[in-house]
Amino acid sequence: MNSHVTRYTAPGRSGTGPHSAFDPREPLPRLRHELATGPEGLSAREAARRFAVHGPNEVRGRQHSSFVRELTGQLVHPLALLLWAAAALAFVADLAVLGWAILAVVTVNATFALLQERQAERAVETLARYLPERALAVRDGRPVTVEARDLVPGDVIVLEEGDKVPADARVIEGGVEVDLSMLTGESVPAERMATEAVLGAPLSEEPNLVFSGTTCVEGQATAIVFATGAGTELGRIAALSQRTRRESSPLEQQVKKVAWLIAGVATGMGAAFLAVGVAVGLPVTDSLMFAIGLLVANVPEGLLPIITLSLAVGVRALARRGALVKRLSAVETLGSTSVICTDKTGMLTRNRMTLRAFWTAAHGEEGGPWERELVRTAALCTTVTREADGELHGDPTEAALLLGAMDHHTPVEPDTRDARRRAHFRFDPRLRLMSVVQTEDTPHGARIIVKGAPEAVVDRLHPGSPTEEARAAARRFAEQGMRVLAVAVREITPGAEAPTDRRDAESGLTLLGLVALYDPPRPEVKAAVGRCHEAGIKVHVVTGDNGATAAAVAREVGIGVPELKVVDASESLGDDELDRVLNDGCEVVFARSSPETKL
C-alpha cells in the first residue's frame, strides 16, 4: 500500500530564502500545504519536533551586557577619565588623601548612575506581558489547552471573546472583532474573518489575519498559526526597538567638550608653570610637584556627581508623572526639544470609547428623553461582563454603551441582562451585527434587539423605514471620526416562541436610531499642547489610525492651528518630499503609520 506524505520543512532551511515566516496571504489550500497541517491540527509528536526547530513562542528582550561591562562603561566617562588622571597625578605628587578621595567620587558616581539606568531599562521591558500564558489548540484532532510558549507554525487554535491572541494566525473559520490598537493605533476593534486576502493591503489590514498580543473582544473563530516568537509582528517590533543605535545626547557631547577643555587648560597651566619655575631657577622637582598640584586643583572633582545627581532628580520627577527615561543623559534633551512626535491612541486620547452623539428618525440629532430608550436598548445588546473589582471586561465599544446607559440614568447590569436573555446570536464580522432576544421591560413577551453597522442593520428594516436618512446621518458621524452603530428592534407577541434561526430573527426590524462613539482626548492634553506652542515646539501626530479620525482629535487639542496637514504614511514618501512637508511650517498628522514609520 502506498501513501503520500507531505513533509514539513522549516522556513529558511529549505533553500528557498532567508525568510523566517510563511506568507499568510497565499490561498488557504497552499498555506495548509506549506504548513503541512489540516483541520485536525498537528500531532503532539509533530508539534514537539517543530518546537525544537522554531523554539518557544516568546518575545525575547535584549540580552543585557554584564554588570562589570556596564560599570566599566560608566568608569570611562570623559569626565571620569579626567578624574582618573587627576587621581594618578595626586598619588605621584604624594597627595594620597586627595587621590583616594577622587577615586571614591568616581566609583560612587559610576555605581549610582549604573543602578539608575538599569532600573529604568527594566521598567520599559513590557512587550512580553502582552502574550497570554495559555492557548486552546487542536492537537491530534481534539482541542486541548497548551502553554502559549509551546505553539508552533501549523498549530490550529481556537479564539473566543476575551482571549488574547497567542501567535500570528490566519482565520480559517468563523470571525472575531480584535483590538489592534497596540499595532495600528485605532481605538475601534477590527473585524477579522475567514475570507480571501486583499491584494496590496498592508499586513495589519488583512481581513483574515490576527496578531500575537492583540485581544479578541467579540466573536469566535478558528485560526491556523503561521508565525511564532520573533517571527510575529510583536516580535518584529521588539527587534526593531533593539536595533536602534544609541546616539550621544547634547549633554554628553557638551560634557565631552568640557572635559577636553578642562584637560587642555589644566595641562597648559601646569606646563607653563613648570617652564617658568625652571626659568627662574627653582629646583625641577619642586617645580614639577607644584605643577602637578596646580593641574589637580584645576580638575572639578564635584562636577561629575553634581551632573549625575541632578539628572537622577529629573528622572525621579518624571517618574512621578508617569514618564520613563532609559538613560540619565536623556533628561537634558527635553530642554533641547524643538519637535515632538506623538501617537494618538492612549497618548492624546484616553483609548476608551464614550458615547458622543445620537440620531433618531423622529428627532434627528436633537437631544431629549428618547435618548434613554435608545441607549438602554443598545446596552442590552452587549456581552461585556463586570469583574469582581467593578471594572467592565470585553469590547470597549460595548463597555461604552453600558457606561452611557449609566450616565443617562438607565443603568444595565450585566448579570440582570443575562438572566433575562432568551437567545443570543453572536457578533458575526461577515454580517457586521449581533442580536439578542430579551424579556427586559416586556414581562409578558420579548423583543429582538439588533445592533451593528448602520448599512447592515438598515438592510434588515421593514419596508417604509427611513433608510436614506439613517445612512446620511451615519455618514455625517463617520466624517467626524466617530464609530456609528445602528440599533433596531422587533417585538415578539406574548406566548410566541423566540426565533431560533438568525435570518428570521434579524429581519422586519424597526429602527430605534443611531449611536455614535468617540475616543475623546485626555482633558490635560490641550493645555500641554498650548504650552508646547508657547515654547516654540511643533507637535506632529504619527498614528496608525485613519487620517480623518486623527485630524479630528488633533484639531480638538489644538494641534495644527491655524493649518493642519494630513499625510498618509502608508504611501512611500521620498526624502525630498518629506523635507518639503516638514519645512512648510505646519503641523502634520502622519496617518496609517506602521511601527517602522513611528520608529
Side-chain angles (χ1 to χ4, degrees):
M1 181 175 65
N2 296 327
S3 61
H4 175 72
V5 178
T6 301
R7 186 63 175 172
Y8 166 89
T9 305
R13 292 174 168 81
S14 60
T16 59
H19 302 291
S20 59
F22 300 92
D23 184 359
R25 289 175 281 205
E26 291 181 324
L28 187 56
R30 183 174 177 182
L31 181 63
R32 284 186 185 273
H33 177 78
E34 291 193 359
L35 288 167
T37 188
E40 296 187 350
L42 303 175
S43 66
R45 183 175 180 179
E46 176 63 14
R49 189 182 76 82
R50 297 189 186 188
F51 182 86
V53 174
H54 293 276
N57 176 36
E58 295 175 334
V59 175
R60 296 181 179 179
R62 178 186 296 178
Q63 293 292 328
H64 282 294
S65 56
S66 67
F67 184 85
V68 174
R69 184 174 179 180
E70 292 186 9
L71 181 60
T72 302
Q74 295 290 342
L75 294 175
V76 295
H77 185 280
L79 269 181
L81 290 175
L82 190 58
L83 292 177
W84 282 117
L89 291 174
F91 283 115
V92 170
D94 200 23
L95 301 172
V97 174
L98 179 59
W100 286 115
I102 294 174
L103 291 179
V105 167
V106 174
T107 305
V108 171
N109 181 81
T111 304
F112 180 75
L114 175 62
L115 292 176
Q116 282 285 323
E117 293 201 357
R118 277 213 157 192
Q119 182 181 8
E121 286 281 2
R122 285 195 300 269
V124 297
E125 292 177 350
T126 58
L127 278 177
R129 299 178 191 172
Y130 283 99
L131 294 177
E133 294 183 1
R134 293 176 178 81
L136 187 61
V138 179
R139 296 271 176 91
D140 296 308
R142 57 189 179 88
V144 294
T145 300
V146 300
E147 296 289 330
R149 70 187 303 273
D150 295 337
L151 290 177
V152 295
D155 260 323
V156 175
I157 57 175
V158 179
L159 301 173
E160 294 187 340
E161 180 180 320
D163 289 348
K164 278 191 174 182
V165 180
D168 287 7
R170 175 168 171 174
V171 178
I172 56 176
E173 186 179 326
V176 288
E177 273 199 339
V178 187
D179 179 2
L180 295 175
S181 58
M182 61 171 289
L183 293 178
T184 66
E186 294 196 39
S187 307
V188 177
E191 297 163 354
R192 294 293 183 261
M193 66 194 82
T195 185
E196 296 299 318
V198 176
L199 186 64
L203 203 65
S204 62
E205 295 179 17
E206 285 289 353
N208 55 14
L209 302 184
V210 291
F211 300 100
S212 175
T214 60
T215 305
C216 297
V217 296
E218 197 151 15
Q220 187 176 32
T222 303
I224 182 171
V225 174
F226 64 85
T228 59
T232 63
E233 285 293 291
L234 190 65
R236 185 175 61 84
I237 293 172
L240 281 172
S241 66
Q242 293 170 15
R243 285 204 302 265
T244 54
R245 182 170 56 89
R246 172 172 173 167
E247 297 180 356
S248 297
S249 71
L251 178 63
E252 288 173 323
Q253 296 170 11
Q254 292 299 323
V255 166
K256 188 178 293 185
K257 291 179 181 178
V258 168
W260 282 112
L261 178 62
I262 292 172
V265 170
T267 303
M269 291 180 65
F273 183 84
L274 178 62
V276 170
V278 172
V280 300
L282 291 175
V284 175
T285 304
D286 292 346
S287 298
L288 180 60
M289 287 302 172
F290 195 87
I292 291 174
L294 185 63
L295 208 158
V296 173
N298 275 283
V299 176
E301 293 87 353
L303 180 58
L304 185 57
I306 287 173
I307 291 175
T308 302
L309 289 171
S310 299
L311 294 177
V313 169
V315 169
R316 294 293 184 182
L318 288 170
R320 284 195 294 270
R321 293 172 175 264
L324 297 176
V325 180
K326 294 177 69 173
R327 283 189 290 148
L328 289 178
S329 61
V331 175
E332 183 273 340
T333 62
L334 294 174
S336 307
T337 301
S338 58
V339 174
I340 292 175
C341 292
T342 176
D343 194 10
K344 179 188 75 70
T345 305
M347 187 69 67
L348 298 180
T349 68
R350 298 168 180 256
N351 196 17
R352 190 178 69 193
M353 304 294 288
T354 59
L355 278 176
R356 180 72 173 256
F358 309 89
W359 178 89
T360 59
H363 305 92
E365 296 177 34
E366 178 186 347
W370 44 85
E371 289 180 4
R372 297 182 63 189
E373 171 65 11
L374 175 60
V375 175
R376 179 174 178 78
T377 305
L380 289 171
C381 190
T382 57
T383 58
V384 292
T385 57
R386 192 179 295 280
E387 299 296 313
D389 59 1
E391 292 294 320
L392 294 172
H393 176 72
D395 186 341
T397 301
E398 294 193 346
L401 293 175
L402 261 70
L403 292 174
M406 187 179 301
D407 292 340
H408 282 74
H409 309 291
T410 175
V412 172
E413 276 301 319
D415 291 342
T416 306
R417 173 204 64 195
D418 294 344
R420 298 183 179 181
R421 181 166 291 172
R422 293 172 55 183
H424 171 213
F425 300 101
R426 285 177 175 269
F427 174 81
D428 188 329
R430 292 162 295 187
L431 301 176
R432 302 189 67 192
L433 47 78
M434 67 168 286
S435 56
V436 296
V437 180
Q438 289 285 137
T439 58
E440 181 77 17
D441 293 335
T442 52
H444 303 294
R447 62 175 176 170
I448 301 166
I449 305 173
V450 180
K451 168 176 65 65
E455 58 271 24
V457 175
V458 163
D459 289 342
R460 290 165 172 78
L461 300 179
H462 63 73
S465 298
T467 57
E468 292 306 315
E469 294 91 334
R471 288 192 176 99
R475 282 195 298 270
R476 287 196 301 273
F477 288 144
E479 288 169 357
Q480 298 172 41
M482 291 185 272
R483 187 186 193 190
V484 189
L485 297 174
V487 183
V489 298
R490 194 180 88 212
E491 299 293 334
I492 299 177
T493 56
E497 292 291 327
T500 57
D501 181 73
R502 181 164 199 160
R503 286 174 297 182
D504 176 42
E506 297 170 347
S507 62
L509 304 171
T510 299
L511 182 67
L512 278 187
L514 307 177
V515 292
L517 302 105
Y518 189 59
D519 184 10
R522 293 177 179 271
E524 66 273 17
V525 167
K526 189 169 186 177
V529 170
R531 290 195 297 271
C532 289
H533 288 164
E534 290 173 4
I537 300 173
K538 291 182 182 177
V539 183
H540 300 309
V541 180
V542 188
T543 177
D545 210 342
N546 69 74
T549 301
V553 171
R555 292 189 181 97
E556 192 165 344
V557 298
I559 297 175
V561 178
E563 184 180 357
L564 180 70
K565 285 190 175 182
V566 179
V567 176
D568 194 333
S570 63
E571 300 175 2
S572 179
L573 285 179
D575 288 343
D576 293 341
E577 189 175 0
L578 181 60
D579 287 341
R580 181 181 56 78
V581 169
L582 294 174
N583 290 331
D584 278 350
C586 302
E587 290 176 322
V588 184
V589 169
F590 293 95
R592 297 299 185 192
S593 301
S594 65
E596 292 94 338
T597 306
K598 293 182 179 181
L599 186 64

